[in-house]
Amino acid sequence: MPGFKKEMLEIADPDIVKLSSERLHPVVSASANPADEVAGKVFFIGAEELAAADSYEVSDYKRIEVGLKSGAPAWCM
């Protein structure tokens, strides 16, 4: 994803921290530097699977639509 960078997000939900044993989790965010880029994988999923992914994530996360290097749109969490 061009124009994005990987950062660590501190999770506020104590149940998630206990479950994962980590208080910091990776996220991507828009970058002011257009040369920044985050590599990843694309998974083709249906609406039901997307809803399940949304329900799994804590409120600290937000799903956004991004443009991939190929020009195709994708959801990113």
Side-chain angles (χ1 to χ4, degrees), residues 25-51:
H25 290 238
V27 296
V28 296
S29 60
S31 171
N33 182 353
D36 283 342
E37 185 173 288
V38 175
K41 292 186 181 200
V42 175
F43 295 92
F44 294 93
I45 62 173
E48 187 175 304
E49 293 164 309
L50 186 58

Side-chain angles (χ1 to χ4, degrees), residues 5 14 18-19 23 36 38 44 50 53 60 67 72:
K5 61 185 175 181
K18 183 178 179 181
L19 181 66
R23 65 179 182 81
D36 283 342
V38 175
F44 294 93
L50 186 58
D60 298 309

Side-chain angles (χ1 to χ4, degrees), residues 1-19:
M1 296 181 318
F4 284 82
K5 61 185 175 181
K6 179 180 166 185
E7 297 181 316
M8 299 304 283
L9 173 70
E10 185 167 2
I11 300 298
D13 186 320
D15 293 332
I16 299 301
V17 174
K18 183 178 179 181
L19 181 66

